[in-house]
Every structure is written in structure tokens, then in C-alpha cells.
Amino acid sequence: MAQIIVYGHKAALASRISSLSDAIHTAAVSALQLPVEKRFHRFITLDPEQFITPSDRSIDYTIIEVSMFEGRTTATKKDFIRQLISSVAAVGVTSNDLEITITETPRANWGIRGVPADELQLNYSVEV
């Protein structure tokens, strides 16, 4: 399970939502081994006065926050980050304009489909 929120400047992000979602999902399926049907993305487009950024970033500055079940190895998370950097660059966001954070939590801290997630039967492994 991974919930992904993407933040960016409205003028740059709005036109890229579909292609960014595809790029992010491709990396998640490949590196995290998520099932293809597990796409949970939200895009938050912000006006310039709401999206304060460092002076060395461009209008393409994008933040990707990933919240997922704990259990993946450090190597898997690094591979995911590297794949994200590459796939997002292909849609026009350079590595200088991209920041990624991963937050992992125990499955017991998630509520999904009416139960704590540690009680769910998953059709994929988190320990990759």
C-alpha cells in the first residue's frame, strides 16, 4: 500500500497530472512491486503565493510525498527513489526540481476497507 501526494506550482503541475501519475505509478509497480490496480495519487496544485520555494528551483519544482506500509528494504526504497527521479525527469521535472519523501508506518496504523490494515489479506508482499 502506498498513498502518494504531489505538490507543485499550479501553472506547471496542472498540465502534467496524468503523465506524472503514470510516471510515479510505473516506478511504484516496478520498485515497490505494487499491483497495477493499486494507484492512490492526489495532486495539489498551488498558486505561487501558496508554494514558497527556494530561489534555486524553477516553476517545475515538485514535491512527492509517499506514505506506505513499513517492511521494504533500504535497497528497495532507494531503487524506488531512483526510478521516480528518472521517470519524472522524462515528463519534464529535473532532479534539481524534485523532492521525494517516504514515510513508513506499521500496518496497524492504517484503516482500510473498515478494518486495521494489519488484519487485511493483501494480494502482494510488502517485504521486498
Side-chain angles (χ1 to χ4, degrees), residues 32-57:
L32 302 178
Q33 299 181 16
L34 290 179
V36 173
E37 69 275 8
K38 299 293 182 188
R39 185 187 299 223
F40 300 99
H41 303 167
R42 280 156 319 286
F43 290 83
I44 301 178
T45 61
L46 300 163
D47 291 321
E49 63 273 8
Q50 298 170 313
F51 195 52
I52 312 304
T53 63
S55 61
D56 65 340
R57 303 306 196 277

Side-chain angles (χ1 to χ4, degrees), residues 29-106:
V29 169
S30 174
L32 302 178
Q33 299 181 16
L34 290 179
V36 173
E37 69 275 8
K38 299 293 182 188
R39 185 187 299 223
F40 300 99
H41 303 167
R42 280 156 319 286
F43 290 83
I44 301 178
T45 61
L46 300 163
D47 291 321
E49 63 273 8
Q50 298 170 313
F51 195 52
I52 312 304
T53 63
S55 61
D56 65 340
R57 303 306 196 277
S58 78
I59 193 172
D60 294 320
Y61 180 62
T62 303
I63 300 169
I64 300 174
E65 294 180 349
V66 180
S67 180
M68 63 186 186
F69 295 158
E70 66 182 357
R72 292 168 179 95
T73 66
T74 297
T76 295
K77 291 179 280 191
K78 286 183 175 186
D79 183 41
F80 177 51
I81 289 169
R82 287 185 179 102
Q83 287 190 42
L84 271 177
I85 292 166
S86 177
S87 64
V88 169
V91 298
V93 179
T94 67
S95 59
N96 189 61
D97 280 327
L98 179 63
E99 292 191 16
I100 302 161
T101 59
I102 296 173
T103 303
E104 295 180 288
T105 56

